[in-house]
Amino acid sequence: VDHLLALLPFEPPYFTQHGLKTTFVGHPIVERLEYRGDGQRFRKKHNIPAEKELICLLPGSRMSELDRLLEKFTETVDIILQQRHQAVVAVPTLPHLQDHIRAWFVGKGINPIVFSDPEEKFDAFCASTVAIAASGTVSLELALCDTPHIIAYKLSPVSAWLAKYLVKTPFVNLVNILLKRQTVPELLLEDCEPGPMSKALLRLMEDKAARSAQLMDFRETLIKLGLGDPETPGQKAAKAVLDTLVS
């Protein structure tokens, strides 16, 4: 490798200390700002009035994640719906998982909007009051759409045991890692349960100060990833490649 392009600002030191030239170019998520989604379009398409709360569920993109998280997420939403009867639930997913998720909710009394259009996903994010997501880069997409959210994750028993002893980072969510503080609640391992998750989500639905704090932190995070820079991450990457080729 002659030159490495990094998406995150904390990555270069891990490589430059070993003599590998590395350039932080920024994260491509910031290039979506102008077409991040249309919440009103999503609500109009699915006949969701502006006054109705919308809860977005993102239980992962792999069947193994659905096996571990879908039941927990469903039970969490069920607790919330007992208090907020009019709330609507949306589940963006991938085409090959759509039928499985629809079948899962049959008889659960929730009747979510399940869809797999990747662009409609961003419309749903912008329309959502809150979201609960499996840990991953989807948190940056939610941040771009100003969607208050929590993240949750449950590992297999062996992986969970290894994680407790080997993982040293205080956070797993990219927003929290970049800000070096927990702004997005992390409900992991034994905390990935309906009680704690519903409590964290309800706080974001009811506490305006908590929602505002997250939105401010989202903007700070995106600035760290290149939002507002004169050059986009793509342009910085292209420049670094050209400079490497002619040097």
Side-chain angles (χ1 to χ4, degrees):
V1 176
D2 296 301
H3 200 109
L4 185 67
L5 304 180
L7 304 185
L8 304 171
F10 56 78
E11 292 177 317
Y14 290 97
F15 304 99
T16 55
Q17 66 176 320
H18 297 292
L20 176 57
K21 292 182 180 179
T22 305
T23 300
F24 164 58
V25 297
H27 199 287
I29 188 66
V30 302
E31 297 187 34
R32 275 202 67 106
L33 183 63
E34 293 184 3
Y35 52 103
R36 61 179 183 166
D38 187 332
Q40 290 184 344
R41 179 168 58 198
F42 184 85
R43 285 178 174 268
K44 183 177 180 180
K45 178 178 179 179
H46 297 284
N47 298 313
I48 306 170
E51 66 273 11
K52 276 195 175 184
E53 293 173 313
L54 178 63
I55 304 169
C56 190
L57 301 189
L58 297 149
S61 57
R62 296 188 293 271
M63 189 62 73
S64 60
E65 290 176 322
L66 295 185
D67 289 342
R68 289 194 295 268
L69 297 176
L70 196 50
E71 182 176 6
K72 300 295 183 184
F73 282 23
T74 303
E75 292 175 358
T76 298
V77 170
D78 191 52
I79 292 173
I80 294 172
L81 291 178
Q82 290 174 26
Q83 301 182 40
R84 308 176 95 83
H85 308 291
Q86 299 302 314
V88 178
V89 178
V91 188
T93 188
L94 297 174
H96 68 282
L97 298 175
Q98 192 168 255
D99 289 343
H100 175 82
I101 290 175
R102 283 181 174 149
W104 163 263
F105 280 102
V106 172
K108 299 289 194 302
I110 294 178
N111 301 319
I113 302 166
V114 181
F115 60 93
S116 58
D117 185 321
E119 290 304 313
E120 190 176 8
K121 175 183 74 172
F122 283 91
D123 288 353
F125 289 174
C126 289
S128 294
T129 311
V130 291
I132 174 172
S135 180
T137 55
V138 69
S139 187
L140 296 181
E141 296 176 342
L142 291 166
L144 183 75
C145 295
D146 288 332
T147 310
H149 62 280
I150 69 172
I151 63 116
Y153 211 74
K154 198 174 251 324
L155 298 169
S156 67
V158 173
S159 296
W161 182 85
L162 288 171
K164 285 185 176 182
Y165 288 95
L166 298 179
V167 177
K168 303 302 180 184
T169 177
F171 307 116
V172 302
N173 177 267
L174 276 175
V175 173
N176 296 338
I177 292 171
L178 286 162
L179 297 183
K180 299 180 180 179
R181 62 180 182 271
Q182 182 165 292
T183 187
V184 176
E186 298 183 359
L187 288 302
L188 310 174
L189 304 179
E190 62 269 14
D191 292 326
C192 183
E193 293 294 335
M197 288 192 289
S198 60
K199 182 178 179 180
L201 273 180
L202 283 167
R203 180 169 182 259
L204 288 175
M205 297 174 79
E206 297 168 351
D207 189 335
K208 291 183 179 180
R211 292 177 61 85
S212 297
Q214 263 206 7
L215 297 184
M216 291 178 64
D217 285 344
F218 291 163
R219 186 48 55 105
E220 182 181 346
T221 299
L222 294 171
I223 289 172
K224 287 180 179 291
L225 295 177
L227 184 67
D229 285 3
E231 291 182 312
T232 66
Q235 290 169 332
K236 291 178 184 177
K239 182 179 179 181
V241 170
L242 290 172
D243 289 345
T244 301
L245 290 174
V246 300
S247 63

